[in-house]
Amino acid sequence: MRACDGDGAPATDRRGRTLAEGDMMQAMQTVRGNLAANPVFWPEKPDDRGVMLPARWSATVLESRRVRGADGEWRDDPRGPVAVAVNVYGAAAMTLARCDMHRGDPVVAIGEQVRVDSYMTREGEPAARFELTAAAVCFDTILLRRRAEHAADRSRPYAEREAAPDAAGTEA
């Protein structure tokens, strides 16, 4: 039996390739936020049966959400940021292990597989955690640049900052 799109014709992916049964088209998911802690890396190794387990890189990304208040102003979501566990496997994990990523770094993670793990908190409340199997993780260069510019601006004397012309239109 072949996968089909509902009218009996074989289902195809976005490139027009026919999908076999069990194949799934998945939308790419993007998570943009800050690393909650330093990433953890496990190198590839054989399991008890001698099967080689791929390398794994894992980190939690805190994605801050903005909400519009009753007064129309945007503010941070009072429920706090959304924590997403990001895992990368194989050669990509080995490459990420060589990157200098640390707690607080702004990152963007892109992947196709998202899972939701449900659990009970210490207080006995039900909770859920999102888990993304990422194809790519990179520094968020826009936020890194903004932070660098902000730090450079703050290092200048106050009187010099006040006298500087307005830098409107320089943000991306």
Side-chain angles (χ1 to χ4, degrees):
M1 180 173 180
R2 296 187 327 187
C4 65
D5 63 9
D7 64 358
T12 57
D13 66 9
R14 63 180 171 219
R15 293 187 182 116
R17 296 177 298 200
T18 301
L19 297 173
E21 184 176 1
D23 285 346
M24 289 179 32
M25 290 187 286
Q26 296 198 7
M28 295 296 281
Q29 302 294 317
T30 302
V31 176
R32 182 182 188 206
N34 296 313
L35 292 176
N38 290 338
V40 180
F41 174 70
W42 294 271
E44 66 180 5
K45 66 174 187 170
D47 69 4
D48 297 339
R49 297 170 298 177
V51 175
M52 190 61 80
L53 299 174
R56 178 176 164 215
W57 181 95
S58 182
T60 298
V61 176
L62 296 176
E63 186 175 34
S64 295
R65 302 286 171 98
R66 305 282 289 169
V67 294
R68 190 181 300 258
D71 60 359
E73 294 294 318
W74 287 97
R75 358 183 120 74
D76 289 332
D77 190 331
R79 296 172 293 181
V82 175
V84 179
V86 176
N87 293 300
V88 180
Y89 297 92
M94 292 187 280
T95 301
L96 279 171
R98 295 190 303 271
C99 293
D100 195 24
M101 292 185 173
H102 299 285
R103 178 180 183 218
D105 285 344
V107 296
V108 177
I110 302 164
E112 292 187 25
Q113 183 176 352
V114 178
R115 257 187 31 198
V116 179
D117 289 328
S118 58
Y119 62 95
M120 299 298 275
T121 65
R122 292 180 185 167
E123 294 78 30
E125 297 291 322
R129 181 176 92 146
F130 297 98
E131 186 175 317
L132 174 74
T133 301
V137 177
C138 60
F139 287 107
D140 186 334
T141 55
I142 293 170
L143 286 180
L144 282 173
R145 183 67 187 169
R146 285 181 184 163
R147 287 181 184 178
E149 289 171 356
H150 181 70
D153 188 50
R154 288 184 26 176
S155 68
R156 294 183 6 222
Y158 181 75
E160 187 180 318
R161 284 184 280 173
E162 288 298 306
D166 186 14
T170 60
E171 293 223 348

